[in-house]
Amino acid sequence: MIVALLNQKGGVGKTTIALHLAGQWARQGRRTLLIDADPQGSALDWSQQRSHEQLPRLFGVVGLARDTLHREAPELARDVDHVVIDGPPRVAGLLRSALLAADLVIIPVQPSPLDGWASAEMLALLAEARMYRPGLTARFLLNRCTARTIIARDTGAALEAHDPPLLSTRIGQRVVYAGSAQTGRLAFECAPEGHAAAEIAALAAEIEAIRP
Ligand code: ADP
Ligand code: MG
């Protein structure tokens, strides 16, 4: 399955969630490959940081920030169980290509009404991609939820009224995620019994159960 974390808005958690999702599947023994489709190469940086720290290799990371991604992805997906695409911000050509490469699109959004509106452009691109790929499945994912769930609930209600639907697993605002890009460590490596590790495991299971 090719899962793409996409939102043309930057800073919503695409890279953070892509790395953790790939890490979760890898530790479960799934053959996993992460495609860094962002010209900024944050996932590649993370992977280099891991080598510097001599941390064990969890999954392969390849940089493919070009608009031929949809033509190259099937070949890369052939020998693995899951491909996770860490999507680019803004660049419409790259975003289109990543959309066409995916079996399942996860759109991370932050729990504020503003973010709900900001993804309208993303939804337009999704609708366009579905003209070529009618079966393309998509879900919203609430990231950076806090204990003040009233905002999250409002956004959740607004998003549930839409297609794509909202995943029931929500990702919390947690220090352990904020440090992961710099340290090269994933949440389960810092706190195996923590809330983050548990919610990532739940997210990976919920996504696998969708089977587009
Ligand atoms: P994107 O790839 O969409 O631009 P990132 O994954 O790079 O977004 O996240 C943007 C910033 O927010 C990063 O500094 C990251 O560590 C932080 N971040 C993302 N998700 C969370 C979270 N659930 N809890 C805490 N910090 C987060
Ligand atoms: Mg990113």
Side-chain angles (χ1 to χ4, degrees):
M1 174 165 62
I2 303 181
V3 182
L5 279 293
L6 299 179
N7 191 333
Q8 89 285 355
K9 197 170 155 55
V12 292
K14 294 181 292 292
T15 301
T16 305
I17 292 162
L19 291 173
H20 280 86
L21 208 46
Q24 175 61 30
W25 280 327
R27 70 191 281 233
Q28 286 175 249
R30 311 277 196 276
R31 291 165 304 167
T32 306
L33 175 72
L34 190 140
I35 295 179
D36 190 340
D38 183 348
Q40 284 197 337
S42 325
L44 284 167
D45 289 347
W46 171 88
S47 157
Q48 281 204 330
Q49 180 63 22
R50 276 188 83 83
S51 341
H52 281 310
E53 304 274 336
Q54 302 191 331
L55 293 164
R57 183 180 176 281
L58 286 169
F59 49 85
V61 181
V62 296
L64 258 186
R66 47 186 188 239
D67 53 18
T68 50
L69 174 58
H70 59 292
R71 293 209 293 268
E72 300 177 64
E75 178 75 22
L76 291 167
R78 222 183 41 194
D79 298 326
V80 295
D81 297 309
H82 296 312
V83 172
V84 179
I85 299 176
D86 178 15
R90 294 180 301 277
V91 195
L94 293 179
L95 190 52
R96 279 199 180 88
S97 186
L99 271 166
L100 292 174
D103 302 308
L104 172 65
V105 175
I106 305 288
I107 308 168
V109 291
Q110 302 203 9
S112 80
L114 269 178
D115 271 282
W117 286 113
S119 56
E121 192 184 333
M122 177 67 224
L123 296 183
L125 285 169
L126 178 65
E128 182 195 281
R130 278 178 165 160
M131 294 195 280
Y132 305 94
R133 308 266 319 272
L136 182 60
T137 305
R139 297 286 187 272
F140 279 115
L141 170 63
L142 280 183
N143 182 29
R144 309 190 82 150
C145 297
T146 61
R148 301 187 203 180
T149 48
I150 231 156
I151 305 168
R153 236 182 275 126
D154 285 352
T155 311
L159 293 175
E160 266 152 21
H162 285 90
D163 176 51
L166 184 64
L167 287 168
S168 62
T169 306
R170 294 173 184 198
I171 304 300
Q173 164 73 35
R174 304 184 197 285
V175 175
V176 73
Y177 292 123
S180 61
Q182 286 74 39
T183 62
R185 283 176 180 79
L186 296 179
F188 81 84
E189 297 173 294
C190 305
E193 309 295 328
H195 292 297
E199 68 194 6
I200 292 297
L203 178 65
E206 185 178 3
I207 291 173
E208 275 194 326
I210 296 172
R211 294 189 192 287

